[in-house]
Amino acid sequence: MNKPFLNKLRKIDPYVPGEQSQAANLVKLNANENPYPPSPRVTEVLRTFDAAKLALYPDANGLRLKNALAARFSVKNTQVFLGNGSDDVLALAFQSFFCSDLPILYPDITYSFYPVWCDLLRVPYETVPLDDDFCVNVRDYDKPNGGVILPNPNAPTGQGVTLDFIEDLLQHNADSVVIIDEAYVDFGAQSAVALIDKYENLLVVQTMSKSRSLAGQRIGYALGSETLISTLEAVKNSYNSYTMDMIALETGAASVEDETYFRQTCDQVIATRTRSAKALAALGFTVLPSQSNFLFVTHPNKAAKAIFEALRKQNIFIRYFSLPRIDNYLRITIGTDEQMDKLFSALKSIL
Ligand code: PMP
């Protein structure tokens, strides 16, 4: 049957997130989630929340949470932008700042949502190859561009760059907005938040999904100059005033105000990462240095895809990307010590 309207529909290849299975006894190490629960203060907010309040709209400006973040990072609340997960913040940042005809730049191996937003929003882009060790070379970004986006640490490789590197990048890209995606920064990399007052064109994006165990709550935020933040606000308020629901504003603030619990869980993940890197190396894996809550590994004798599939049969989920240069690598989220032990014994039998 001839259906001409089909030619008018948007055609797009969407981003594919890590599988969310409901299987019992699952060892879920495929979406870089935190294996620990959020702060007990978050539980308390949820326990005492008055459902009657939901009859009203939330504060469109999210001041309760903005103030908590502003205090945590010693910035003004007008330097904080909130979103429904950092994916929402990043998608809005692409719309707000990547508006020229020049291509934006990002690494060839990186967060696979970037090309999807470029496609959706018709942003021209150019990928910049990482070197053979999957490291970023700052001089590769010294060329005319419509903007730069770099995760620190990078995903799925887990490797971070220094603050000196980011400052160098900013000094050579003063005519564009530079976005540093710090989804995993709390697990050991250096944050660029310290530079936002010095560089008006720097936007730092963070999330509560990883280090604050709140992936299900969907809270992301950006920190930057008032110039950038007010532009983001204008774009957000041109499509949805209420991206943050009332419960997210309260639980997010409660999490930010519990620095002790935050540090403890991050330190525990880092300790398990160190131990896991050694255990995987002992099984023959090459393990990339990681400053994130995951490890990126490859095995000389067994194909990554075969390992991924064999683990999946045993209800152990990790992540495999069928992409150029990394199709023989596996990304393994750091779980609890007990979950990692199950992974190691399964790997021993598979190998
Ligand atoms: N940036 C990077 C590099 C990520 O890996 C992720 C998680 N998929 C995000 C941003 C988005 O996370 P969220 O939307 O949960 O904040």
Side-chain angles (χ1 to χ4, degrees):
M1 217 198 331
N2 189 18
K3 292 183 187 170
F5 80 93
L6 291 178
N7 298 327
K8 295 177 180 159
L9 304 188
R10 187 68 189 261
K11 289 165 197 73
I12 191 148
D13 286 327
Y15 171 74
V16 184
E19 189 177 349
Q20 296 294 343
S21 165
Q22 299 303 322
N25 301 323
L26 183 69
V27 178
K28 191 170 184 307
L29 306 173
N30 68 336
N32 296 341
E33 293 145 322
N34 199 307
Y36 303 106
S39 157
R41 295 199 198 181
V42 171
T43 314
E44 193 55 19
V45 167
L46 293 171
R47 202 181 61 77
T48 56
F49 190 82
D50 176 9
K53 289 207 269 184
L54 293 176
L56 302 183
Y57 282 105
D59 171 14
N61 196 23
L63 264 190
R64 165 84 177 97
L65 180 52
K66 277 189 184 173
N67 286 339
L69 286 164
R72 162 72 164 58
F73 290 102
S74 304
V75 299
K76 292 188 249 174
N77 61 15
T78 44
Q79 293 181 285
V80 183
F81 178 77
L82 303 174
N84 187 13
S86 61
D87 280 341
D88 185 37
V89 176
L90 288 164
L92 277 161
F94 271 57
Q95 287 185 68
S96 306
F97 307 133
F98 296 160
C99 304
S100 89
D101 294 331
L102 289 171
I104 68 156
L105 307 177
Y106 55 78
D108 61 338
I109 300 164
T110 195
Y111 186 29
S112 44
F113 223 137
Y114 301 161
V116 178
W117 287 316
C118 286
D119 190 9
L120 177 72
L121 303 165
R122 302 190 161 105
V123 174
Y125 67 94
E126 193 181 310
T127 56
V128 183
L130 297 179
D131 71 15
D132 290 342
D133 297 324
F134 296 142
C135 291
V136 191
N137 179 359
V138 73
R139 291 283 75 81
D140 293 344
Y141 291 78
D142 293 353
K143 52 179 152 184
N145 61 67
V148 175
I149 179 157
L150 188 72
N152 186 34
N154 196 10
T157 61
Q159 307 203 84
V161 294
T162 62
L163 213 50
D164 286 345
F165 176 107
I166 290 172
E167 205 155 4
D168 191 348
L169 181 71
L170 285 159
Q171 277 161 5
H172 288 84
N173 286 280
D175 297 338
S176 298
V177 172
V178 174
I179 301 178
I180 306 296
D181 177 352
E182 295 190 347
Y184 303 101
V185 77
D186 297 322
F187 300 105
Q190 283 182 290
S191 173
V193 174
L195 300 176
I196 62 171
D197 283 331
K198 195 164 167 196
Y199 297 93
E200 202 181 356
N201 61 326
L202 166 65
L203 189 81
V204 177
V205 178
Q206 295 194 355
T207 177
M208 298 206 189
S209 297
K210 319 292 178 183
S211 55
R212 294 187 180 275
S213 312
L214 284 169
Q217 181 71 91
R218 312 303 301 126
I219 304 173
Y221 52 95
L223 305 165
S225 62
E226 287 175 318
T227 312
L228 296 190
I229 298 301
S230 61
T231 306
L232 278 170
E233 293 289 354
V235 173
K236 179 215 111 183
N237 289 319
S238 304
Y239 100 107
N240 179 3
S241 311
Y242 305 107
T243 46
M244 306 302 293
D245 70 66
M246 222 179 248
I247 299 171
L249 293 174
E250 290 295 329
T251 53
S255 170
V256 173
E257 286 161 2
D258 193 352
E259 189 69 22
T260 309
Y261 182 86
F262 164 75
R263 246 334 345 134
Q264 271 168 7
T265 41
C266 287
D267 289 348
Q268 182 57 58
V269 169
I270 292 168
T272 306
R273 179 182 74 206
T274 306
R275 181 179 159 256
S276 301
K278 280 190 198 133
L280 289 164
L283 288 168
F285 283 96
T286 303
V287 183
L288 260 67
S290 170
Q291 291 177 291
S292 61
N293 68 338
F294 54 85
L295 292 169
F296 202 52
V297 305
T298 185
H299 200 280
N301 307 331
K302 186 131 185 136
K305 191 160 187 255
I307 298 174
F308 165 78
E309 282 164 358
L311 286 172
R312 202 173 180 286
K313 280 197 190 116
Q314 299 188 39
N315 258 345
I316 299 175
F317 284 26
I318 60 171
R319 194 90 199 255
Y320 170 74
F321 299 93
S322 178
L323 291 172
R325 292 185 72 188
I326 58 168
D327 60 358
N328 201 27
Y329 282 79
L330 297 163
R331 192 196 70 187
I332 303 172
T333 302
I334 304 301
T336 60
D337 283 312
E338 192 193 350
Q339 287 176 313
M340 300 315 281
D341 287 340
K342 282 188 187 157
L343 169 77
F344 305 144
S345 65
L347 282 172
K348 223 170 266 168
S349 63
I350 292 164
L351 295 166

